[in-house]
Amino acid sequence: MNEASILITLATVHFVALMSPGPDFALVVQNATRYGRQTGTYIALGLSLGILIHATLSITGVSYIVHQQPVLFALLQAAGGSYLLYLGSGALVATWRLWGTPPAPIANDNSMMLENKRLAFSRGLITNLLNPKALVFFVSLMSSLVPVGMSFSGKGAALAILWGLSFAWFALLAWLLTRTAMQQRLRKISRYIDLLCGAVFTLLGAAILYQVVLNVMDHAL
């Protein structure tokens, strides 16, 4: 298989994975719906940078080393599960407290938007970086599709494709969710979106932490 075929296959597999529901998808939906297009775009930028970092570490073999070290991988899983649980429980508590109030309008204050940009970017980045499933996915993807002998330019093109597709998809999702007509509809059900996203984060975080506990118990026996 030549490098062009490898890059096309890589792009196809990655794009299918991007469209699959998960914490990255839920994070964009929740934040774009509540805080608007600009915040959603900065979430997309943070997520895509996290994907680029994962892909770079995988293509250089660093992630494979981490994956093969039970203690390091367990720590990553624990950190990722705890962070998702933190996001989920926070969303659930906030939704519960504001359940009886009307949906708040999207803020246009410049200072608040600046704060939201920084928070959105860092939240997107951390959510992706601490997702142990992302590490496993990219280790599998890179080891199976990107040969060791691939040229430096080919590997660079692979990283650019992964980042570009990721940012384009999540930014497009944020744009679609914040079109005027769509925004008016979504604001009416924003509390249910927050509730669903909070439940997704909580369940994923709890499942990851449960898996960590099981792995620790298995190694202890």
Side-chain angles (χ1 to χ4, degrees), residues 57-69 135 139 143:
L57 293 177
S58 296
I59 210 169
T60 56
V62 175
S63 291
Y64 178 78
I65 295 173
V66 173
H67 188 231
Q68 295 302 308
Q69 299 295 320
L135 183 145
V139 167
S143 62

Side-chain angles (χ1 to χ4, degrees), residues 81-136:
S82 299
Y83 186 69
L84 289 176
L85 197 60
Y86 161 75
L87 289 180
S89 58
L92 291 176
V93 170
T95 303
W96 175 260
R97 288 177 177 173
L98 300 174
W99 189 262
T101 62
I106 296 175
N108 291 316
D109 178 73
N110 288 333
S111 62
M112 186 173 292
M113 286 306 299
L114 181 61
E115 181 180 348
N116 281 345
K117 289 176 187 177
R118 293 170 179 165
L119 179 61
F121 174 78
S122 60
R123 183 160 290 184
L125 177 62
I126 294 171
T127 297
N128 188 270
L129 280 181
L130 292 183
N131 184 357
K133 294 184 182 297
L135 183 145
V136 175

Side-chain angles (χ1 to χ4, degrees), residues 51-218:
I51 287 171
L52 177 61
I53 293 173
H54 269 300
T56 302
L57 293 177
S58 296
I59 210 169
T60 56
V62 175
S63 291
Y64 178 78
I65 295 173
V66 173
H67 188 231
Q68 295 302 308
Q69 299 295 320
V71 175
L72 283 177
F73 189 60
L75 289 174
L76 176 63
Q77 284 183 303
S82 299
Y83 186 69
L84 289 176
L85 197 60
Y86 161 75
L87 289 180
S89 58
L92 291 176
V93 170
T95 303
W96 175 260
R97 288 177 177 173
L98 300 174
W99 189 262
T101 62
I106 296 175
N108 291 316
D109 178 73
N110 288 333
S111 62
M112 186 173 292
M113 286 306 299
L114 181 61
E115 181 180 348
N116 281 345
K117 289 176 187 177
R118 293 170 179 165
L119 179 61
F121 174 78
S122 60
R123 183 160 290 184
L125 177 62
I126 294 171
T127 297
N128 188 270
L129 280 181
L130 292 183
N131 184 357
K133 294 184 182 297
L135 183 145
V136 175
F137 171 76
F138 282 105
V139 167
S140 302
L141 186 68
M142 293 303 187
S143 62
S144 60
L145 291 181
V146 179
V148 176
M150 191 175 190
S151 68
F152 182 79
S153 60
K155 291 180 179 179
L159 294 177
I161 288 172
L162 292 174
W163 177 83
L165 276 178
S166 303
F167 179 69
W169 165 247
F170 290 126
L172 175 63
L173 181 61
W175 181 80
L176 291 173
L177 290 171
T178 52
R179 296 177 64 189
T180 303
M182 180 66 75
Q183 192 71 37
Q184 291 174 350
R185 296 191 187 102
L186 291 176
R187 280 191 64 245
K188 296 177 182 178
I189 60 171
S190 61
R191 68 194 63 186
Y192 299 102
I193 294 174
D194 287 342
L195 182 64
L196 178 60
C197 291
V200 168
F201 290 136
T202 301
L203 290 174
L204 284 174
I208 291 172
L209 290 176
Y210 178 68
Q211 186 62 50
V212 172
V213 173
L214 288 182
N215 290 339
V216 170
M217 291 177 65
D218 286 342

